[in-house]
Amino acid sequence: MKRNWVKAASLALGASLLLSACGGGASSGQSGESADGKTKISWLNILHTASPPTDTVLNKIEEITKADIEFSWIPDASKEERINTSLASDSLADIVTLTILDNSSVRNALKAGVFWEVGPYLDEFPNLKAISQDTRTSASIEGKLYGIPFQKQIARNGVIIRKDWLDKVGLPVPKTTDELFEVAKAFTEQDPDGNGAKDTTGFMDRSDLVFGAFKTLSSYFGTPSYWSVDDSGKVTPEFEDEGYVKTMDYMKALYEGGYINQDFAVTAKTDQQQNFAQGKAGIYVGALFDSKNLLNLAKGVQDGMELVMVNDITSTGNESDRAIWSSGNGIGGLLAFPKSEVKDEAELKRLLQFVNDLMSEEVYTLMTYGIEGVHYTVDADKAVTIKDTDLWQQEVQPFAASRPKETGYQIHDADPLKVEADRLIEENAKYAVLNPMFSLESPTYSSQGSELQKTITDATYKYILGKIGLDEFKAAVASWRKAGGDQIIAEYEAAYKAVNGK
């Protein structure tokens, strides 16, 4: 195992190490050539698993990309603190993974020219050239692209329903919010599991207004994605939109009718999924690819479970009103190149070539599934079956979050639910509602946005739970505006005008 992996493992276990002491930091040298002719690359990266991978897959990646890669892994739980420390102490690497683009230190560093602007170079490399203009724009800061964007699924959410329960209560797959409400009511009142007890409900939700049911449902009611901007450049937050109030009313009616788990406001995601898998509810709103995990969790508990995924629900029944919110406009962060490490254009282009190579199908396969015959088998249709889940989790899974691109490849999971989820998620992209403020700068939002949002989140829950009325909710919005919201809006409007000329 390489020296830096051992140190990274210590990081992952919570040891108090300075970033500058990790292999791959500024002290370990800049990009150049190693003794075997490979390009030496240090990479300050985020670790989303309990421990770093072994060298098994890494060796293959290095062979294909002709690179000698040294990782410095930062545990995801401490990424904000450690990235801030790294920026402040200038202990960076040739490549730095930046996933918290709304962090004020990160945005200030990007705007201050700490990292190379890469926009002018993308078209020199075939895989980088294929990055769409919408993606480039969304990943830019004040109109400039300071790294290669992590290309994620643009809109992955939808509704997962117990198809076997639908058949039991005699209802079709819902296409409108009213029909979905009737399904929730039937799942609560008509004993869909046939055990003679009134122990089921419609929705199984969790304490998350974004990745739980609320934001997806709000898409169906026409709510914008975080912010809206009109032709004159006027910016409005989503919670001042009529669709937001309609969504609160909808969830309030679900709650009052008992058609959603009554503790949804304090339920964790793991409990939500376990409860659904145990047959306590029949509707799950979230990432469509969660369906595979839900069915796996149900094995031995709800063996008769059959799931159907729905991505075309509207509140009006009109196809023209179809919409789904986008998480981060399909941007998962940036692979950025600090000027302190990457001294000239020639070094930058070597690193851009490396990232270009990471986007190939061959390397994507390694970072997603591992090595054929060792970690997986594949059929003639390029459908993959993992051979040993434990081995895959140890040697392959830690690389997954480091893939610069996650979609558009032929090789795919063999699981039928995953195949269907991927198809629906790809279809979602045509109806995705993007956040128009995603790439723009509001200093007040960067410094106070999260704290201010708590006012709206609390008021939203209180409204749904029947503790306050509409006037009190509007008073909370007024409080948000007075405490800094008006300043955020003014800053976004100025930033939008600067970039768009409006």
Side-chain angles (χ1 to χ4, degrees):
M1 181 178 285
K2 294 187 177 181
R3 170 175 52 85
N4 65 295
W5 294 97
V6 178
K7 292 184 179 179
S10 298
L11 265 177
L13 292 171
S16 179
L17 297 177
L18 292 174
L19 285 173
S20 57
C22 300
S27 61
S28 63
Q30 301 157 1
S31 59
E33 281 199 3
S34 57
D36 57 3
K38 293 181 179 179
T39 300
K40 293 174 63 178
I41 296 174
S42 57
W43 188 344
L44 187 60
N45 204 1
I46 309 297
L47 183 69
H48 292 264
T49 53
S51 59
T54 63
D55 284 354
T56 307
V57 173
L58 175 63
N59 291 337
K60 290 288 187 181
I61 295 172
E62 290 182 329
E63 181 182 330
I64 295 168
T65 61
K66 298 180 175 61
D68 183 1
I69 311 166
E70 289 195 33
F71 284 98
S72 290
W73 293 103
I74 300 174
D76 182 61
S78 57
K79 64 186 175 185
E80 187 155 9
E81 173 193 350
R82 293 189 179 278
I83 287 293
N84 287 346
T85 301
S86 183
L87 289 169
S89 61
D90 197 25
S91 52
L92 299 167
D94 300 324
I95 303 175
V96 178
T97 295
L98 300 174
T99 59
I100 42 175
L101 298 183
D102 57 351
N103 174 278
S104 57
S105 296
V106 170
R107 292 188 77 90
N108 288 337
L110 291 167
K111 291 191 301 177
V114 171
F115 299 94
W116 282 85
E117 182 187 355
V118 302
Y121 302 98
L122 296 191
D123 290 348
E124 298 179 29
F125 306 89
N127 292 329
L128 302 183
K129 183 177 181 178
I131 298 173
S132 71
Q133 188 55 55
D134 281 347
T135 298
R136 298 184 194 194
T137 299
S138 290
S140 295
I141 305 295
E142 296 184 339
K144 294 185 177 182
L145 186 60
Y146 292 105
I148 305 301
F150 283 99
Q151 299 173 73
K152 304 286 186 179
Q153 295 158 325
I154 294 177
R156 65 192 190 187
N157 283 44
V159 182
I160 301 169
I161 305 175
R162 289 282 301 258
K163 177 66 167 60
D164 52 317
W165 285 12
L166 281 175
D167 295 341
K168 182 71 181 294
V169 300
L171 289 175
V173 175
K175 296 297 182 183
T176 69
T177 49
D178 284 346
E179 291 175 357
L180 183 62
F181 191 94
E182 289 306 310
V183 169
K185 181 179 180 181
F187 284 179
T188 306
E189 298 177 346
Q190 295 183 28
D191 189 26
D193 60 358
N195 68 352
K198 193 173 182 181
D199 57 358
T200 60
T201 188
F203 285 79
M204 181 58 62
D205 196 24
R206 65 181 185 261
S207 178
D208 189 336
L209 292 179
V210 179
F211 296 102
F214 187 89
K215 200 163 183 64
T216 296
L217 291 173
S218 74
S219 294
Y220 304 155
F221 286 103
T223 309
S225 188
Y226 300 100
W227 304 89
S228 65
V229 57
D230 65 17
D231 291 339
S232 68
K234 180 184 177 183
V235 171
T236 305
E238 62 179 354
F239 44 81
E240 291 188 0
D241 188 87
E242 181 184 4
Y244 193 96
V245 176
K246 288 181 178 179
T247 309
M248 291 196 299
D249 286 335
Y250 186 86
M251 290 197 68
K252 182 179 181 181
L254 288 173
Y255 179 76
E256 289 176 344
Y259 310 143
I260 188 171
N261 55 307
Q262 298 293 282
D263 60 351
F264 79 94
V266 293
T267 298
K269 180 180 180 179
T270 52
D271 293 330
Q272 175 200 22
Q273 295 189 341
Q274 288 287 351
N275 288 339
F276 184 92
Q278 290 166 13
K280 295 180 180 179
I283 303 172
Y284 175 99
V285 184
L288 289 164
F289 52 66
D290 284 344
S291 56
K292 176 182 176 181
N293 183 48
L294 292 172
L295 199 62
N296 286 336
L297 288 172
K299 288 179 179 177
V301 182
Q302 293 277 309
D303 286 329
M305 180 182 287
E306 182 184 354
L307 300 178
V308 62
M309 291 169 282
V310 192
N311 73 337
D312 58 354
I313 292 175
T314 65
S315 60
T316 63
N318 298 324
E319 172 73 14
S320 60
D321 292 325
R322 187 172 166 185
I324 183 66
W325 70 283
S326 174
S327 174
N329 293 8
I331 308 300
L334 296 173
L335 287 172
F337 313 96
K339 293 177 181 177
S340 61
E341 308 299 312
V342 185
K343 298 298 187 183
D344 55 36
E345 194 177 67
E347 282 190 30
L348 175 64
K349 289 187 175 183
R350 280 201 296 270
L351 294 168
L352 291 174
Q353 180 64 57
F354 168 72
V355 177
N356 179 85
D357 295 342
L358 288 183
M359 293 169 63
S360 69
E361 179 129 3
E362 189 174 11
V363 178
Y364 167 83
T365 300
L366 284 168
M367 298 177 84
T368 306
Y369 303 111
I371 300 168
E372 184 178 358
V374 177
H375 302 103
Y376 71 91
T377 58
V378 62
D379 66 17
D381 294 325
K382 293 213 167 189
V384 167
T385 301
I386 299 299
K387 293 181 64 176
D388 183 333
T389 301
D390 290 340
L391 184 66
W392 175 84
Q393 288 176 338
Q394 178 185 356
E395 298 188 343
V396 184
Q397 188 180 23
F399 286 112
S402 302
R403 299 169 299 178
K405 181 184 176 188
E406 294 186 359
T407 60
Y409 298 97
Q410 290 186 330
I411 196 164
H412 61 277
D413 195 309
D415 184 273
L417 277 176
K418 183 64 165 60
V419 171
E420 176 66 0
D422 287 344
R423 184 188 72 80
L424 295 177
I425 289 170
E426 183 177 354
E427 184 180 283
N428 270 354
K430 294 184 291 185
Y431 304 95
V433 179
L434 304 184
N435 174 5
M437 300 297 112
F438 181 77
S439 67
L440 301 181
E441 176 72 10
S442 163
T444 305
Y445 182 82
S446 296
S447 62
Q448 301 179 44
S450 296
E451 191 63 31
L452 287 171
Q453 181 62 34
K454 291 178 182 178
T455 300
I456 304 300
T457 299
D458 290 347
T460 301
Y461 277 121
K462 287 178 180 178
Y463 185 97
I464 294 170
L465 299 177
K467 295 180 178 179
I468 64 172
L470 185 57
D471 287 343
E472 291 158 299
F473 177 79
K474 289 182 177 179
V477 173
S479 176
W480 174 88
R481 278 184 167 271
K482 184 177 181 181
D486 280 335
Q487 185 63 27
I488 291 173
I489 291 171
E491 289 167 357
Y492 272 141
E493 288 178 345
Y496 184 84
K497 182 178 181 180
V499 173
N500 297 279
K502 291 183 180 180

